[in-house]
Amino acid sequence: MSKIHYINEFDEDRTFTFDERIALLRKRKIAQTEEKAKQGGADEDDYGLIVQDEFVYQLKPNHPNGSIYGYRAWTENYCSILAEHPIYVDALDAFSAKGFFFLERLRPKTKKWNPDYPYDDLQKIFDRYQIISGIDNCHHFTPDIQIGLDLGWGGILRKLKEQKTLHDETHHEFYDSEIAVVEHIIAFIRRAGDEIEALACQEKNRQLAENLHTMAAINHKLATEPPKTFREAIQWNNWFSMLSRTYNRGSSGGQIEDLFNPFYERDVASGILTDEEAIFYLACMFLQDSRYWQLSGPDEHDNDKTCHLSYLALDAADKINIATNLTIRVHDKLDPAFFEKSVEYLFKNKQGWPRYSSDKALMEGFMRCGYSKELARKRVAAGCHWMCIPGMEYTMNDTVKVNLAMVFQVAFQDMMANADQTRPSIDALWEQYRKHLKMAVDATGRGIIHHLTYQTKSQPELILNLFQHGLIEKGVNITDGGANYYNMCIDGAGLAVAADSIAACEQRIDKEGRLTYEELTNHLDANFEGENGEYVRQMLFHSERYGGGGDSLGDKWAVKISKLWTGLVRDLVEQHKDNPKNVNFIPGFFSWSNTILLGSILQATPNGRKAGEPINHGANPNGGFRKDGAVTSMCNSIAAIQPGYGNTAPVQLEIDPQIANDPEGVKKMCAMILGIMNSGNTLLNINIIDAKKILEAHKDPFKYPDLVVRVTGFTAFFSMLSEKFRELVIERVKAVNADLEY
């Protein structure tokens, strides 16, 4: 059996401080990241994966097309992986738990969805409007890790076996699969303990050998027992993270204070844990995986959750200072010293963390869906732009996208194709847009229902099923009624392209008469090439834009599209009221990393965008929305288009590091963040970018291998991004650095 270990060749008497260990671990992490980047990188989260070539798993398909479907195939393949997967451990680390790949991605790329449950008619509509339907997308909901911390793997196994005896044979496939998975997990963690113990006996350095002996003992215990100490709780969490990632990319983390503070306070009171140790353990947790964690926020009684451990988490992120996804939940009673410290680290490290969410906007929005304040408060930051109640919701957040710019293109072309019957005008264009957007949204809703109906036959959630309240008792996969709530977020992408295009038509054609719709069509078809093409493009580009502020036509149309979009998505609730899962549909605006994809087959648009160019980023305006690139104007525009039902339309800011280079500057930045949150915005992502440094890194990605940027909702090592994605970040930086030469 192959093994992947790091035996550190240090002198036997050398001792290490925690800071020295963090520095060495960080150095190794950067080297591993550089290795990944040289093998192709990825335009997504880091995930903490390790490049290796000692273990190559061959998928065991159960279908002639070479893919796997249903309980048995997923169970057999996952259990086979665990039986063979090497154990990664570094003697400098406090924890083991590193993975190398996702079972989900070993399937043939074009053979993911079970072909026995086709949706060909829907796919035609998806293709027409460039809809990312979410069908077959895994997880994107949040487990309650507290279940595992309370029960341990042994307790979960006992519960599964007990519940199996209480159910008839129609549930046995579920229980047999879950039992097999947990039994293999227990065996895997036991093996980890054995191999770490053997490694401890080989380690020459006394301090590191002792660390490995302790690590081995912890893993032998955690194979079946729940954690009792702070270190054990984080090791348990790290195993869960790696094991769920290996299955299907895993999930988010949760609220750090809720999960780990009881262990921290108990250990401190017992005299077995110092703050220095706690920071080290948290730094190792952040090193292990770039999962999403929430800090602070109010409890059910409106009291601030911020505690001493909250500060230690910020300190740990500061010390390891890699791609980290921490979200601060901003509310009226937020500890101002903690808030200020978070902003200090944001500017000190310039690595895109933390980000900030608005408790008020998100809570009140979720309550508009009919949920209580208590439930709304339980929703935590869980992904790039989304929230989820741990262990209670099934969501498809960030997996479903409708390209509003493509809907515009279809509507415009439809209007022009019928120009002999209805004279082209802004009113006619809007009617076409309303019609086509409804068709796109309705098809998206039907696609989600199709996914919920048949997902178990394609890809059951064998790991995350175990961490849902009441699901093991029900004995069904989470998409078959195992969740308490089904809240489906549908994101609109390309809002700014659609709004600016309609605004340009109204301003330059209907109001000013400087162009006709026929002439515009010819310029779009020619991609603004030929006679007067660039002149017309510039004229359109400099029309009144979304983000312009005041009474700009772009802002007016963005709000109008947002209201239409929100209404159509909410109408799906009534349309599908007879679905037994009581599905709730929640609108949002976000593009994730699909800005390039969604623009790639889009023709030239009337906002002056050329064919194939990316659409706008998330809810942000298009670049060049104002000559001054005013932050206040942009943020007010994004606040005005918030759908308002508990999911987000994030603000993405690129800020010069000199803005807050002293204590007074930090306080001003805190005030600005609070202003943005209090204006109705839901989520704020901030990049503090040295413009010259990032240009140098773009020319040579490995010049600054530890440079991290917030690409969208996630942070990533800049060197890991493809050239096209690096260019997207560069374009955003240029938008706020008018004098930047590139």
Side-chain angles (χ1 to χ4, degrees):
M1 184 179 298
S2 63
K3 304 173 184 177
I4 295 184
H5 298 144
Y6 274 120
I7 300 176
N8 295 284
E9 298 295 337
F10 297 112
D11 294 339
E12 63 181 33
D13 294 324
R14 178 176 173 179
T15 59
F16 303 86
T17 66
F18 287 122
D19 282 351
E20 286 172 337
R21 288 169 71 178
I22 288 174
L24 289 166
L25 288 167
R26 186 179 191 275
K27 183 178 179 181
R28 182 162 284 158
K29 169 67 176 179
I30 300 306
Q32 291 169 342
T33 301
E34 190 169 348
E35 186 178 5
K36 285 194 290 186
K38 288 179 178 177
Q39 292 200 4
D43 296 327
E44 58 181 351
D45 293 274
D46 176 69
Y47 299 122
L49 296 176
I50 301 294
V51 172
Q52 57 85 43
D53 55 11
E54 295 187 38
F55 175 48
V56 179
Y57 182 76
Q58 296 296 323
L59 193 71
K60 301 171 184 175
N62 70 330
H63 193 279
N65 68 10
S67 194
I68 58 173
Y69 306 108
Y71 282 116
R72 184 172 180 178
W74 280 91
T75 301
E76 289 180 351
N77 277 274
Y78 184 66
C79 291
S80 294
I81 287 173
L82 291 188
E84 303 172 25
H85 196 290
I87 306 300
Y88 175 97
V89 62
D90 188 324
L92 289 162
D93 206 328
F95 311 107
S96 53
K98 284 283 188 179
F100 310 127
F101 57 82
F102 310 137
L103 170 59
E104 178 201 25
R105 293 187 178 176
L106 298 182
R107 298 176 296 165
K109 290 183 178 180
T110 59
K111 307 293 183 182
K112 291 184 177 182
W113 182 253
N114 192 329
D116 294 339
Y117 305 95
Y119 52 96
D120 296 344
D121 289 343
L122 281 175
Q123 188 60 56
K124 293 176 183 177
I125 304 176
F126 297 159
D127 291 342
R128 186 182 191 193
Y129 297 112
Q130 209 177 28
I131 296 168
I132 300 173
S133 71
I135 294 176
D136 190 61
N137 268 290
C138 59
H139 58 83
H140 282 74
F141 60 96
T142 301
D144 191 348
I145 300 170
Q146 189 65 52
I147 294 172
L149 297 178
D150 290 341
L151 297 177
W153 295 108
I156 291 172
L157 182 61
R158 287 190 295 274
K159 188 174 181 180
L160 285 165
K161 289 181 176 180
E162 289 168 0
Q163 288 297 319
K164 181 181 177 182
T165 65
L166 303 177
H167 289 75
D168 62 34
E169 61 183 13
T170 61
H171 295 269
H172 285 184
E173 187 176 30
F174 167 85
Y175 287 112
D176 290 343
S177 296
E178 297 289 4
I179 287 169
V181 164
V182 176
E183 287 176 339
H184 277 76
I185 286 173
I186 290 172
F188 176 75
I189 297 175
R190 279 182 177 149
R191 174 162 64 87
D194 292 343
E195 294 191 16
I196 295 169
E197 181 62 34
L199 186 63
C201 296
Q202 301 174 37
E203 177 59 59
K204 297 177 182 179
N205 180 274
R206 291 190 180 93
Q207 181 186 5
L208 299 183
E210 181 182 353
N211 178 55
L212 289 170
H213 282 302
T214 301
M215 198 188 302
I218 288 173
N219 281 291
H220 281 134
K221 175 183 177 181
L222 293 182
T224 55
E225 297 178 34
K228 298 297 184 185
T229 68
F230 186 72
R231 182 173 180 177
E232 290 173 0
I234 294 182
Q235 176 65 84
W236 194 97
N237 166 78
N238 285 10
W239 276 128
F240 166 77
S241 178
M242 174 262 170
L243 291 162
S244 60
R245 292 286 197 212
T246 301
Y247 185 72
N248 64 359
R249 291 193 298 139
S251 65
S252 56
Q255 183 85 34
I256 283 182
E257 293 91 347
D258 290 350
L259 293 169
F260 300 120
N261 195 52
F263 293 97
Y264 167 77
E265 290 187 343
R266 192 160 52 237
D267 286 4
V268 170
S270 300
I272 63 172
L273 181 68
T274 67
D275 280 358
E276 191 178 21
E277 289 174 299
I279 289 171
F280 177 66
Y281 296 150
L282 288 166
C284 289
M285 182 177 77
F286 297 146
L287 173 74
Q288 189 256 355
D289 197 322
S290 57
R291 295 172 75 200
Y292 293 83
W293 296 102
Q294 180 167 288
L295 287 170
S296 192
D299 63 17
E300 63 272 21
H301 304 296
D302 295 334
N303 297 316
D304 188 24
K305 286 188 176 185
T306 306
C307 59
H308 189 59
L309 185 65
S310 310
Y311 284 85
L312 299 186
L314 283 182
D315 290 339
D318 171 57
K319 285 182 181 291
I320 201 69
N321 197 23
I322 55 172
T324 306
N325 289 306
L326 295 178
T327 303
I328 309 295
R329 189 161 180 137
V330 177
H331 64 114
D332 291 342
K333 295 182 181 179
L334 176 62
D335 178 355
F338 174 74
F339 179 44
E340 189 169 313
K341 185 172 185 177
S342 75
V343 175
E344 288 175 4
Y345 282 147
L346 176 68
F347 278 86
K348 171 193 171 187
N349 295 305
K350 306 176 187 63
Q351 300 277 53
W353 67 266
R355 61 180 185 170
Y356 301 89
S357 68
S358 168
D359 173 71
K360 185 176 187 294
L362 292 168
M363 179 190 68
E364 292 179 353
F366 196 56
M367 290 173 66
R368 289 191 190 99
C369 296
Y371 294 112
S372 68
K373 177 180 176 180
E374 181 184 16
L375 278 175
R377 279 279 166 77
K378 287 182 178 180
R379 269 194 145 201
V380 300
C384 280
H385 80 306
W386 51 281
M387 312 287 145
C388 189
I389 305 172
M392 299 183 74
E393 278 187 86
Y394 180 85
T395 68
M396 293 174 67
N397 295 331
D398 202 14
T399 70
V400 183
K401 304 278 182 288
V402 176
N403 188 351
L404 303 178
M406 179 59 80
V407 174
F408 168 82
Q409 178 176 293
V410 173
F412 185 88
Q413 291 175 344
D414 204 358
M415 178 184 72
M416 297 309 297
N418 294 283
D420 58 334
Q421 301 174 24
T422 304
R423 185 176 67 85
S425 67
I426 199 66
D427 291 336
L429 178 57
W430 179 242
E431 281 306 307
Q432 288 292 338
Y433 192 79
R434 287 168 55 90
K435 178 184 76 173
H436 286 287
L437 187 57
K438 177 174 172 51
M439 293 172 65
V441 170
D442 288 352
T444 304
R446 295 199 303 274
I448 288 172
I449 298 300
H450 188 84
H451 167 91
L452 290 172
T453 304
Y454 301 111
Q455 173 71 346
T456 299
K457 302 294 185 181
S458 191
Q459 181 186 172
E461 292 285 354
L462 294 180
I463 305 299
L464 300 195
N465 277 341
L466 304 171
F467 304 96
Q468 303 296 311
H469 293 283
L471 191 149
I472 291 177
E473 290 83 353
K474 296 173 184 175
V476 295
N477 186 49
I478 192 166
T479 51
D480 289 336
N484 299 78
Y485 309 103
Y486 290 86
N487 291 309
M488 305 293 117
C489 177
I490 304 178
D491 287 319
L495 171 66
V497 175
D500 287 350
S501 292
I502 298 176
C505 289
E506 181 178 14
Q507 180 178 351
R508 301 308 190 190
I509 302 177
D510 289 63
K511 288 190 171 185
E512 299 174 354
R514 299 178 65 181
L515 200 65
T516 68
Y517 281 97
E518 290 75 13
E519 289 170 339
L520 173 59
T521 300
N522 292 334
H523 284 295
L524 296 178
D525 290 344
N527 198 25
F528 299 112
E529 301 293 337
E531 186 177 359
N532 294 326
E534 182 59 20
Y535 170 80
V536 171
R537 192 183 77 82
Q538 289 293 334
M539 177 179 65
L540 295 167
F541 181 82
H542 289 92
S543 300
E544 295 180 19
R545 312 281 292 282
Y546 164 57
D551 297 322
S552 81
L553 288 174
D555 281 307
K556 183 192 81 170
W557 283 108
V559 170
K560 197 167 183 177
I561 292 172
S562 176
K563 289 180 178 178
L564 173 63
W565 167 255
T566 299
L568 291 173
V569 172
R570 293 299 295 161
D571 286 347
L572 294 176
V573 178
E574 178 67 21
Q575 289 179 32
H576 297 282
K577 64 181 180 181
D578 295 330
N579 187 282
K581 297 182 181 69
N582 195 27
V583 181
N584 185 35
F585 296 89
I586 306 180
F589 288 111
F590 193 57
S591 55
W592 190 59
S593 61
N594 299 121
T595 51
I596 293 174
L597 171 67
L598 295 179
S600 62
I601 61 172
L602 191 64
Q603 296 179 9
T605 44
N607 65 322
R609 178 194 146 276
K610 285 197 168 187
E613 291 181 353
I615 60 170
N616 64 285
H617 175 85
N620 273 41
N622 289 297
F625 63 94
R626 273 174 62 129
K627 290 181 179 180
D628 55 8
V631 169
T632 300
S633 173
M634 183 181 82
C635 293
N636 287 341
S637 293
I638 297 175
I641 58 86
Q642 296 288 333
Y645 283 89
N647 279 327
T648 74
V651 175
Q652 176 74 39
L653 288 184
E654 267 66 40
I655 293 179
D656 188 291
Q658 298 305 311
I659 288 178
N661 61 358
D662 57 29
E664 185 61 29
V666 169
K667 291 184 183 298
K668 289 180 179 178
M669 190 66 201
C670 289
M672 188 183 87
I673 292 172
L674 289 176
I676 293 171
M677 294 288 94
N678 291 333
S679 68
N681 279 301
T682 45
L683 185 65
L684 173 60
N685 299 319
I686 304 177
N687 266 328
I688 312 298
I689 291 180
D690 182 324
K692 292 183 179 179
K693 181 178 180 179
I694 203 167
L695 285 182
E696 291 177 8
H698 184 48
K699 293 175 182 176
D700 179 7
F702 302 110
K703 184 173 183 178
Y704 301 102
D706 63 343
L707 176 62
V708 172
V709 295
R710 185 164 291 282
V711 182
T712 171
F714 64 91
T715 57
F717 290 96
F718 195 64
S719 62
M720 282 281 290
L721 300 175
S722 66
E723 183 177 356
K724 286 186 176 181
F725 261 84
R726 295 200 306 272
E727 287 174 353
L728 284 181
V729 176
I730 294 294
E731 287 301 316
R732 298 206 310 250
V733 174
K734 286 171 62 180
V736 294
N737 291 270
D739 298 329
L740 189 64
E741 294 183 5
Y742 173 48

